[in-house]
């Protein structure tokens, strides 16, 4: 419903997504509300609808001139850093976290959704030669943190905790779930990690997905386990076993497995 600080729904403050009519900010013609339509059709069939939000991605390319004048990058350019040619919300800014929470609550309050769902896009995936330009935010808000990496993880944790508290206060019936990248951490990085050798959420994306389950901040976890059984780097069966041992009585659903 929110791929890049834009909207597939009408009752919001962010511009319509370009993937509807080819231009950001242009309403569907003939007009309809895609989220309302999807909710109604799902509920007719007894299916829950969980609205998917991308919390931090603001653009998917460097064509900034094509953005709507109402896009948040034009209203608050100081909230973003550019990484890999894309603009990303700076998770270290308190006003960014508050803004994202309000965007989600707008949907919680105005639509009969059954859940709020987020994918694996937190801090950006590492790109060789690229640097996250958040030193100024760290200097201002880093507090007692002596390691910027720990501070980044705390920034994401703060948002997740704010979201779960706010969502459940506004509507206790709504579930809050996450679909992180399949590896929390490799055993070579952390003795509590999985027997894998791939990219991870904890060290690369600064997203401590295991903590969110352990602390009860999410109602379910939906890890992305793409690789086959017996894969050399990140085997489906090993990751399934690891996540099964690390759910802390929360629901575990497997995201898009590839089994051969």
């Amino acid at each position: 419903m929110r791929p890049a600080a834009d909207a597939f729904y009408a009752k919001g403050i962010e511009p319509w997504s370009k993937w509807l009519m080819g231009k950001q900010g242009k309403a569907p013609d003939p007009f309809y509300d895609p989220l309302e339509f999807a909710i109604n059709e799902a509920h007719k069939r007894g299916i829950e609808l969980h609205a998917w939000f991308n919390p931090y991605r603001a653009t998917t390319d460097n064509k900034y001139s094509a953005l709507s004048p109402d896009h948040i990058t034009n209203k608050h350019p100081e909230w973003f850093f550019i990484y890999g040619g894309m603009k990303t919300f700076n998770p270290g800014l308190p006003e960014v976290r508050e803004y994202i929470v309000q965007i989600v609550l707008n949907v919680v309050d105005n639509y009969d959704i059954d859940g709020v769902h987020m994918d694996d896009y937190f801090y950006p995936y590492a790109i060789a030669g690229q640097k996250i330009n958040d030193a100024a935010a760290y200097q201002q808000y880093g507090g007692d943190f002596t390691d910027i990496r720990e501070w980044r993880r705390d920034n994401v944790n703060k948002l997740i905790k704010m979201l779960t508290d706010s969502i459940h206060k506004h509507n206790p019936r709504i579930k809050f779930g996450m679909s992180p990248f399949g590896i929390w951490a490799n055993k070579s990085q952390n003795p509590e990690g999985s027997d894998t050798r791939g990219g991870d959420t904890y060290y690369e994306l600064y997203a401590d997905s295991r903590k969110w389950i352990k602390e009860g901040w999410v109602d379910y976890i939906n890890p992305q386990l793409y690789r086959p059984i017996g894969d050399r780097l990140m085997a489906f069966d090993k990751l399934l076993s690891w996540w099964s041992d690390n759910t802390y009585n929360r629901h575990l659903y497997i995201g898009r497995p590839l089994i051969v």
Side-chain angles (χ1 to χ4, degrees):
M1 295 294 103
R2 184 191 189 245
D6 51 10
F8 276 79
Y9 56 94
K11 301 171 188 175
I13 63 171
E14 294 185 311
W16 286 103
S17 175
K18 69 178 180 181
W19 285 287
L20 283 167
M21 297 295 293
K23 181 180 180 181
Q24 191 175 78
K26 186 174 182 180
D29 185 16
F31 182 82
Y32 78 111
D33 188 327
L35 178 54
E36 194 73 61
F37 174 81
I39 291 168
N40 291 337
E41 293 303 311
H43 288 176
K44 284 179 188 177
R45 295 161 174 81
I47 299 171
E48 289 189 3
L49 189 139
H50 293 214
W52 175 87
F53 296 84
N54 190 308
Y56 289 128
R57 187 172 64 194
T59 71
T60 57
D61 54 40
N62 61 1
K63 298 175 182 176
Y64 311 136
S65 62
L67 296 171
S68 166
D70 294 327
H71 194 258
I72 193 64
T73 56
N74 290 320
K75 291 182 174 181
H76 286 283
E78 72 279 9
W79 286 3
F80 303 88
F81 56 74
I82 296 174
Y83 190 90
M86 297 188 294
K87 291 189 177 183
T88 299
F89 282 92
N90 187 340
L93 301 179
E95 53 268 43
V96 162
R97 294 192 292 271
E98 182 61 33
Y99 176 80
I100 293 169
V101 170
Q102 292 306 315
I103 290 296
V104 172
L105 290 181
N106 178 267
V107 173
V108 168
D109 291 342
N110 287 287
Y111 291 91
D112 187 24
I113 60 172
D114 302 287
V116 168
H117 181 83
M118 288 187 176
D119 214 332
D120 57 329
Y121 295 103
F122 294 98
Y123 278 87
Y125 281 90
I127 300 174
Q130 296 282 312
K131 180 182 177 182
I132 297 174
N133 294 316
D134 59 352
Y138 176 53
Q139 184 176 10
Q140 184 174 0
Y141 298 110
D144 295 331
F145 284 96
T146 58
D147 187 331
I148 194 171
R149 295 168 296 184
E150 290 294 336
W151 173 73
R152 288 170 179 167
R153 270 187 287 273
D154 186 64
N155 293 332
V156 178
N157 287 340
K158 281 187 171 78
L159 176 67
I160 302 306
K161 183 63 165 62
M162 287 172 67
L163 283 168
T164 193
D165 288 347
S166 300
I167 292 166
H168 291 135
K169 182 178 180 180
H170 279 239
N171 191 334
R173 178 186 66 82
I174 291 180
K175 303 179 182 75
F176 179 40
M178 309 295 296
S179 183
F181 185 73
I183 298 174
W184 170 71
N186 298 286
K187 190 174 289 186
S188 60
Q189 300 167 302
N190 188 314
E192 295 185 320
S194 52
D195 183 18
T196 49
R197 289 166 293 283
D200 68 279
T201 67
Y202 186 87
Y203 296 100
E204 184 173 346
L205 304 181
Y206 307 103
D208 192 354
S209 51
R210 181 171 175 259
K211 180 181 179 70
W212 308 336
I213 314 171
K214 191 174 182 178
E215 298 294 334
W217 294 349
V218 294
D219 298 303
Y220 67 87
I221 198 83
N222 182 212
Q224 301 171 17
L225 308 188
Y226 296 115
R227 298 295 185 95
I229 290 174
D231 184 81
R232 183 174 60 87
L233 297 179
M234 41 194 301
F236 173 83
D237 45 326
K238 290 182 178 180
L239 282 169
L240 176 59
S241 177
W242 186 89
W243 281 104
S244 297
D245 291 338
N246 287 274
T247 54
Y248 298 94
N249 296 315
R250 296 287 158 168
H251 284 221
L252 170 67
Y253 307 111
I254 300 306
R256 295 167 286 184
L258 173 62
I259 305 175
V260 295

